[in-house]
Amino acid sequence: INAVFSYGGADDMVEAVNELCGVEISEYAEINFDGMKALVDAVGGIDINVPEGDEVDDPEAGPVVIEAGQQHMDGEAALTFSRARHQFADGDYTRMRHQRMVIGALADKILNNLDIASVPALLESLADMVHTSLSPADIISLINAMRGMDINNMYSANIPSWAGEDTYIDGQSYVFVYEDKLEEMMERVNAGEDPQGPQSMGKGDGGSATVGDLYNNSNKDWRYGTATTSGSSSSEDGEGSEGSSEE
């Protein structure tokens, strides 16, 4: 998927995800790093509860040191939190969880704590950094339709997958997909049900997790199957401990 985006842009990436997941994505939004920083700053920052063990001190990810606990993040901090991976055992998977936490916090701010009248000016100010198939009117309509949503109760999952010494091709590290498990997960998604997908490397064990659960469990909890979630006593079956996704 990364390679498709690099060579063919958003349209080809949408096609690749459609093919892999058996879906038909209707709209997309693409934002670069500077755009994300600007968006978080434009809405007055976001609030994230950083789990113990998910603190960030990674100069390669960004200049901000992020402590555990309730944090109000500006754009620079949110971007640093979204990029950090080297200090975590399941690197890329922790980074993906952090990104979903940032998106959740940003969605909560826009849908539930932002004056809708400020949205047109916000969109105009970010026009050079955000590319989307949605018109400004579509975006405002979507925000209005979703206002009041409890973001913490939104389901969260990533594709059942693994990476390790057996997923190198010509010296390049890849993440491989458990295609049978992905098919089962997407059948649940298409039926409007809980994805029951993994939060770290592995196939998943049929457990449930929400965006709110991401704020309450550390990277070690997800990796070693000790996470406590809203839908089950643990989120993983321990398969997450089989390797690391770091490149």
Side-chain angles (χ1 to χ4, degrees), residues 26-218:
S26 57
E27 310 289 351
Y28 74 87
E30 172 192 347
I31 186 167
N32 60 29
F33 285 149
D34 288 337
M36 198 196 86
K37 286 169 54 178
L39 176 57
V40 172
D41 286 335
V43 300
I46 57 176
D47 297 306
I48 291 182
N49 182 48
V50 179
E52 291 282 348
D54 277 33
E55 303 91 340
V56 171
D57 185 0
D58 182 357
E60 290 189 38
V64 183
V65 175
I66 299 170
E67 303 292 341
Q70 191 67 31
Q71 304 294 333
H72 182 76
M73 298 186 186
D74 63 7
E76 190 75 69
L79 181 58
T80 300
F81 188 66
S82 297
R83 296 184 69 184
R85 68 186 179 101
H86 295 292
Q87 67 190 84
F88 303 112
D90 66 344
D92 288 342
Y93 291 90
T94 292
R95 178 169 61 176
M96 286 189 286
R97 287 192 301 274
H98 285 182
Q99 289 169 356
R100 293 202 296 276
M101 292 162 69
V102 167
I103 291 171
L106 189 55
D108 185 55
K109 188 65 175 282
I110 293 172
L111 295 178
N112 300 319
N113 297 285
L114 189 69
D115 182 359
I116 194 70
S118 67
V119 172
L122 178 63
L123 294 174
E124 184 175 354
S125 69
L126 296 170
D128 293 337
M129 301 178 186
V130 179
H131 303 281
T132 177
S133 56
L134 292 163
S135 69
D138 290 334
I139 294 173
I140 292 173
S141 177
L142 189 61
I143 291 173
N144 276 324
M146 298 176 70
R147 285 185 83 80
M149 177 180 289
D150 184 354
I151 303 301
N152 285 336
N153 283 332
M154 290 176 61
Y155 292 128
S156 172
N158 50 259
I159 287 176
S161 59
W162 85 97
E165 295 301 321
D166 59 336
T167 63
Y168 276 82
I169 300 176
D170 295 330
Q172 177 66 44
S173 173
Y174 287 83
V175 174
F176 280 23
V177 178
Y178 291 107
E179 296 186 21
D180 56 338
K181 291 297 182 179
L182 173 60
E183 183 177 354
E184 292 173 7
M185 188 179 84
M186 292 310 302
E187 286 176 357
R188 292 189 289 270
V189 171
N190 292 335
E193 299 172 354
D194 181 351
Q196 299 178 26
Q199 299 298 321
S200 185
M201 189 183 302
K203 298 178 180 179
D205 67 346
S208 174
T210 64
V211 171
D213 293 327
L214 300 183
Y215 301 117
N216 296 319
N217 294 278
S218 73

Side-chain angles (χ1 to χ4, degrees), residues 17-25 186 189-190:
V17 174
N18 285 343
E19 181 178 345
L20 176 65
C21 296
V23 296
E24 289 294 331
I25 295 172
M186 292 310 302
V189 171
N190 292 335

